Amino acid sequence: MRQKKDIALGIQDYRKIKENNYYYVDKTRMISEFLKRKAEVTLITRPRRFGKTLNMSMLAEFLDITKDSKDIFSDTDIMKTDYTSEMNSYPVIFLSLKDAKGTRNLMVKQIKLALLAEYQKFSEVFLRQSYIEQMIYERTLQELLDYNSGSLSGIDNALYFLSKAAFNYYQKPVILLIDEYDTPFLEAHMNGFYKEIHNELAVMMSSALKGNEYLHLAMLTGIQRVAKENIFSGLNNLLVCTVKDPEYADCFGFTFSETQTLLNYYGIELGEEVRAMYDGYSFSEVDIYNPWSILNYAQRGTLEPYWVNTSENKMIRSAMMQCDKTFYHGYEKLIEKGTLTTFIQPENSFYEMPSTSSLWGLLLNSGMITIEHKLEPGYYQIRIPNKEVKTAFIGLTGTVLCIGLAHRGKSVEAVWDKKENKTLNNSTAN
């Protein structure tokens, strides 16, 4: 009997998955969509653990001029298209900011180390430069090497300068990929040093994206669209793809057929219990399963809420602490009725435009709710996707109930009893 392929749980490196013969759900059609659309800058927002980093790694491997990728794409969908001629044709800058978390010093260190890795990758392009370019390179490198300073000062030109050097060396325009670009912005906001890192980081990104004559195409992924007035304003060819938009709808998460094929491969039936636990997402009317949970279920064979144990709800809790009566009443209705019709702005960051509509947008982009029906412009009927996510709402409901009681003018300590699914009121207040 042929041995089954291992499950690449938590592995986000496309080459590693293919070279080690892990089971891979083919998402290479994303490459052809990226090249076909030719939007100069594409921003895709999706929940955590829905395959953003792996897809960006896949894009980088296919396009990178420094690599030979024929073997790791030989059995994939992209090889059935006309875009095979684009393989390994561009210098690719791939910057992942998913680890830019924690204190200010830790965040700055992770950002600079990520940039240093790309500078090291392109080290040979700096060997033939003019005197002035060499001076800029040395000064930028000096700033990056000072990664324990806690300061991003001096890196505002780092990505633009790297793309210029790569273009001059290869005589090919650059592909820029920035994975989890919003992580440092959101982390800095929650930890109280947003203003201290925002400007340098936003300028570094915007200088590489706006008016960069050495840029061919760029893609950014994240949970939210943040710092839009600094990074994205003035971009004439910007494509923003949230979970409500049709572009790339089936490229993140697993479709029904992908989920069924995967589970059948491991001898597991895709029954109603599995669907109720992990299905239920609707990305522009495409039925999507949670990929992290499906992979965990295929490996362990136990129906458990895997995603909620990894999802970082600190950001959502922080936003909910600022919610108003309108959100509170809508939240109550969603829990009670199972659906809610409301106005949502998923394109706006809650931390830049705090409002009920952007808070619902945060929950939508984070995977806590999904769209049941699209109504008139801006209005949607929403619901909780599945049983797994309902367990996450149990953890959040205590926070929202406390806020609701406060809005009602009561001084109440509310405790959410997970076992009984009710609020235990420990106060004598009326």
Side-chain angles (χ1 to χ4, degrees), residues 13-28:
D13 185 317
Y14 176 83
R15 180 173 288 274
K16 184 175 182 179
I17 287 175
K18 296 297 288 184
E19 288 183 343
N20 289 278
N21 200 31
Y22 287 102
Y23 189 99
Y24 175 65
V25 176
D26 193 339
K27 296 292 184 179
T28 58

Side-chain angles (χ1 to χ4, degrees), residues 220-281:
L220 294 80
T221 64
I223 294 178
Q224 289 195 95
R225 175 176 176 171
V226 301
K228 69 174 186 178
E229 66 269 41
N230 288 45
I231 299 176
F232 302 115
S233 62
L235 282 171
N236 296 323
N237 194 7
L238 170 67
L239 176 64
V240 180
C241 308
T242 68
V243 293
K244 70 176 181 58
D245 299 309
E247 298 88 356
Y248 303 98
D250 64 349
C251 293
F252 298 84
F254 294 162
T255 64
F256 169 78
S257 60
E258 290 168 345
T259 302
Q260 186 175 52
T261 300
L262 185 152
L263 293 180
N264 285 345
Y265 177 83
Y266 292 103
I268 302 172
E269 182 184 357
L270 178 53
E272 182 55 39
E273 288 185 345
V274 179
R275 289 194 288 270
M277 181 66 82
Y278 306 128
D279 189 14
Y281 289 95

Side-chain angles (χ1 to χ4, degrees), residues 90-101:
Y90 302 95
V92 175
I93 300 172
F94 179 22
L95 187 71
S96 180
L97 299 178
K98 63 184 179 66
D99 295 323
K101 302 176 182 178

Side-chain angles (χ1 to χ4, degrees), residues 4 24-25 35 40 102 107 121 151 158 212 251 278 283 292 369 382:
K4 299 289 186 183
Y24 175 65
V25 176
L35 295 173
E40 187 175 18
M107 179 182 294
K121 170 187 166 184
S151 172
N212 183 354
C251 293
Y278 306 128
F283 293 173
W292 175 256
I369 59 174
I382 58 173

